[in-house]
Amino acid sequence: MNAYDWQRLSEFHNTWLEAGAPERHQLRARLADEQPALIHEADALLASSGALPRFLETPALVVAAHEIARETLALTPGDQVGPYRIVGVLAHGGMGDVYRATDVRLHRDVAVKMLAQAAAPESDQISRFIQEARITAALDHPNIVRVFDVGVFRGHPYMVGELLAGETLRTRLAAGPASIADARQIAADIARGLTAAHEAGLVHRDLKPENVFLTNSGTTKILDFGIAKLLRPRSREEGSSTLNGVILGTTGYLAPEQIDGAAVDGRADLFALGAILFETLTGDRAFGRGHTVAALHDVVHGPAPRVEEHRADVPATLAAVTNRLLE
C-alpha cells in the first residue's frame, strides 16, 4: 500500500469513528465507489475497531483482515494453577491477565500471567515460548523481571514471576513528563536490561510504557519478554505488511520493519526505547497522536520527531541519544 492509499484509508477511518450509525453506511458506500481497491482493507480495519471506544489506545493492538477472537481464561481466588493458588487479579491487559498468587510449596507470593490467545498457539510456538522464558529466567538481571516458572494450564501458556511493588511507566506518565534525571535513569535501566537480553539472543518486540515497571525501590524493570513472539503470525503470508495480515504490538512503539513485516532483531527494541524516552521527557507520544492508520504511516514514512522541539531544557547529549534511537 502506497503513502497516498494509507492517507486515504486513515482519513476514511477517522471520519468513520466520529460518525453516527446512519452516516457510516454512506461513508463506506462512498469509499467503495471512489476507491474500490481500498474497500477490502477498510472493511478489515472497521471489523477490528468497530466495537472499541478508542481504537488507538487498545494495548497490544491487533490490526487484522478478519476479527480475531480473544479467548480469555478467568481465574478466581482459590483456583489452582499448578502449585500456584490464585489470590486475586492484579491487572488486565491485551496480552493476558495478571494474578497475585501464592506458591504453596515455597510459601512465596508471586505474579502469574495467564496469556490471552489471539489464535490457538501451535505446540512448537508454545515450546519456543517456554524455551525463551527459560532463557529469560537464566538472565537474573536487575532490570528484567525475574521469571520463576512457565507452563500451560487448560491450553493457555502462563508465566510466573516476581511480585513487584510500584507502578508501570504508563501510570507514571499519566501525571505528566518526568524530570530530566528520572527520564535519564529510567532509559538507562531499560538499556541495561535490553543489552543483557540481546546478548542472550532475546528480542522483546513489544516494548512500551505498559511493559516498563518502576519499583518502589527505584529500579526500572522490563516486563513480558517472549510474549509477543508467542502471539506472532504463523507465517510470513499471514503477517504481511498490509492489513491482510496481523500486526501484534502497540501503535507508536513498533519499529518500521515490524510494520513492514520484515525480520526483527534488537534494533526494533531500540526504536521502542527511543519512543519511550521521548514520551517520558515530553509527555507526548513520538508517534500516534492521530488514529491507528495515521500512526503506522507516520512511523514508516514520516520524519522522526526531534525531542528538543518539544522540550527545550533537554540536555544536548540526551536529545542526541533520543533522536538517534528514533532515527
Side-chain angles (χ1 to χ4, degrees):
M1 184 179 294
N2 59 39
Y4 173 79
D5 286 344
W6 270 113
Q7 184 62 34
R8 181 68 183 89
L9 188 57
S10 176
E11 292 172 354
F12 164 76
H13 182 244
N14 294 349
T15 305
W16 187 89
L17 286 173
E18 303 297 332
E23 299 171 299
R24 289 181 171 183
H25 178 75
Q26 297 176 4
L27 287 169
R28 185 193 178 282
R30 187 181 309 136
L31 182 70
D33 182 57
E34 297 175 356
Q35 300 284 336
L38 293 182
I39 197 62
H40 178 71
E41 308 290 7
D43 285 344
L45 185 57
L46 300 185
S48 298
S49 63
L52 299 175
R54 289 198 65 190
F55 188 38
L56 179 61
E57 301 302 324
T58 305
L61 176 69
V62 177
V63 180
H66 304 285
E67 291 186 352
I68 297 178
R70 179 184 183 272
E71 182 185 353
T72 58
L73 180 62
L75 301 176
T76 58
D79 287 346
Q80 196 88 3
V81 179
Y84 308 102
R85 183 180 297 118
I86 301 300
V87 175
V89 178
L90 291 175
H92 295 286
M95 283 190 175
D97 299 328
V98 184
Y99 299 88
R100 184 188 186 104
T102 299
D103 186 334
V104 298
R105 304 163 302 178
L106 303 177
H107 302 286
R108 173 175 62 181
D109 289 334
V110 296
V112 175
K113 182 151 194 172
M114 188 67 60
L115 301 189
Q117 294 176 220
E122 297 175 336
S123 59
D124 64 330
Q125 289 178 296
I126 294 178
S127 296
R128 287 196 303 269
F129 166 72
I130 292 175
Q131 178 62 26
E132 195 152 322
R134 287 172 178 162
I135 297 172
T136 306
L139 289 175
D140 194 21
H141 191 277
N143 298 119
I144 299 175
V145 65
R146 293 179 63 194
V147 174
F148 300 138
D149 196 5
V150 65
V152 180
F153 180 72
R154 299 179 187 170
H156 289 252
Y158 70 88
M159 61 195 318
V160 181
E162 61 182 315
L163 187 63
L164 301 174
E167 62 185 356
T168 65
L169 179 58
R170 171 63 66 213
T171 301
R172 176 73 61 86
L173 289 177
S179 68
I180 298 295
D182 285 349
R184 182 186 289 114
Q185 183 61 53
I186 290 168
D189 281 355
I190 296 172
R192 293 186 187 100
L194 290 177
T195 297
H198 293 169
E199 288 177 350
L202 289 173
V203 181
H204 194 290
R205 304 174 187 82
D206 191 28
L207 193 63
K208 56 189 175 183
E210 289 84 351
N211 286 334
V212 173
F213 198 90
L214 310 179
T215 68
N216 290 340
S217 64
T219 302
T220 301
K221 290 181 179 282
I222 304 171
L223 310 177
D224 290 352
F225 268 99
I227 292 180
K229 186 174 184 179
L230 176 69
L231 299 180
R232 70 183 178 179
R234 294 177 186 167
S235 70
R236 179 66 174 83
E237 288 73 22
E238 291 176 354
S240 64
S241 59
T242 73
L243 295 176
N244 289 324
V246 176
I247 300 174
L248 289 173
T250 303
T251 305
Y253 308 97
L254 289 172
E257 61 268 27
Q258 290 175 282
I259 297 171
D260 285 338
V264 173
D265 58 27
R267 289 171 292 185
D269 288 345
L270 296 182
F271 176 87
L273 173 58
I276 290 170
L277 180 53
F278 181 98
E279 188 171 350
T280 304
L281 286 166
T282 68
D284 296 324
R285 297 194 184 198
F287 305 95
R289 288 182 289 274
H291 288 294
T292 302
V293 176
L296 294 173
H297 178 271
D298 285 347
V299 170
V300 175
H301 300 288
R306 310 287 293 182
V307 69
E308 65 272 18
E309 296 176 0
H310 294 258
R311 182 171 176 176
D313 64 337
V314 177
T317 52
L318 186 57
V321 169
T322 307
N323 295 335
R324 176 61 178 149
L325 288 168
L326 289 175
E327 290 167 0

